[in-house]
Structures are given as C-alpha cells and as structure tokens.
Amino acid sequence: AMNIRLRFVAGKDDISLAIILRSQISTPFSPSHVEAVRPDGKYVGQHFRGGMVARDAGYDKSIMAQELFVDLPATAEQADSFYAFVNSKIGSPYDWTSILDYVLPVDFHISGDAICSAAMELALRASPAPYLHWPVTVPAHLISPRDLLLMLSCIVEIPH
C-alpha cells in the first residue's frame, strides 16, 4: 500500500482571500488551494498564473497562512493512476473563468481546463484504478478546495 498525498493551503494574497471568503467555514481552516505532493517531494497543482505546474516545496511561503497535508491510504495502482493523471496535466491552463461561477449564476467553465480542486478531484477519479470510485454530484469545476477537504474528511480523519 502507498499514500496519495494532498496539500491544502490557505493563502493570504487577494485571490486566496476571495476564495476563502466564498468558501465559508471549514475546520481546521478554509483552504484556498489544493495540490498533489509527488513522491519526489514536488508540489503539483493548478495555479491562476501558470496553469498546472510542478514546484519545489516552499515556493509559496511568502503568501501562505496555513497548510495541511492529507494522506490517503491507497493501493499502488490507485497511487499510480493518481500521479500519472497529475503529471499528464502539467502545462494545462487554469480554468480562470470557473472562478466567476462562484460569484455569478452562469457557467463560464472552459471544457478541458481546471481549477486546482477540480484537477485533484479528477485525479482521484483517474483510470485505471480510481481512488474515488463514483462521479460526484457536483461538476468538478465547481468543487472548491473546501469541498474536496469535506469529501476527504468522510474517508480519512482530518485534524481539527
């Protein structure tokens, strides 16, 4: 067995604060970003500037208020599916129009693009060995980092 590791972050920049405000309350904090932690230690996630990128740990320390690592016990096949999906998306654009969906009742999502939490939810559902076995009841592009943390708190204990 292996782990799939996710990193949830609360940023203190303007975009992060807007996401946190819209997300409402979560324990231990309301995250504004989520990304994968690869076995090599690189953080891979979708960013408003740059899209899906792999970065070194500490890249965001100047704008990070809090972070939480969540380890999901997984089979080797599930971890392989998750990380293969994450790595295959490096270079893909950020779905910046989905951020507008949080404010206005219109679907601005660009098919094929993703925000950070959508990318991680889709990675957790990636074939051939999905960690999450069923599609969720909300489109991936509308899943916030808080929503994903809530979903995972039904699977593993999240410290409060």
Side-chain angles (χ1 to χ4, degrees), residues 22-44:
R22 178 66 177 96
S23 296
Q24 301 182 3
I25 297 170
S26 181
T27 306
F29 61 86
S30 295
S32 57
H33 178 67
V34 59
E35 58 197 358
V37 180
R38 285 194 319 209
D40 67 1
K42 292 274 191 185
Y43 296 165
V44 183

Side-chain angles (χ1 to χ4, degrees), residues 8-9 19 40 46 48 59 66 70 74 76 100 106 108 113 117-118 129 133 149 155:
F8 289 85
V9 177
I19 293 168
D40 67 1
Q46 281 283 16
F48 192 76
Y59 75 88
Q66 293 177 281
V70 175
L100 299 175
V106 180
F108 289 108
D113 293 357
S117 41
H133 299 284
L149 186 60
I155 299 169

Side-chain angles (χ1 to χ4, degrees), residues 27-28 68-73 131 149 151-160:
T27 306
L68 170 70
F69 293 95
V70 175
D71 290 314
L72 303 173
Y131 186 82
L149 186 60
M151 290 166 48
L152 297 179
S153 74
C154 295
I155 299 169
V156 295
E157 184 176 3
I158 305 295
H160 284 57

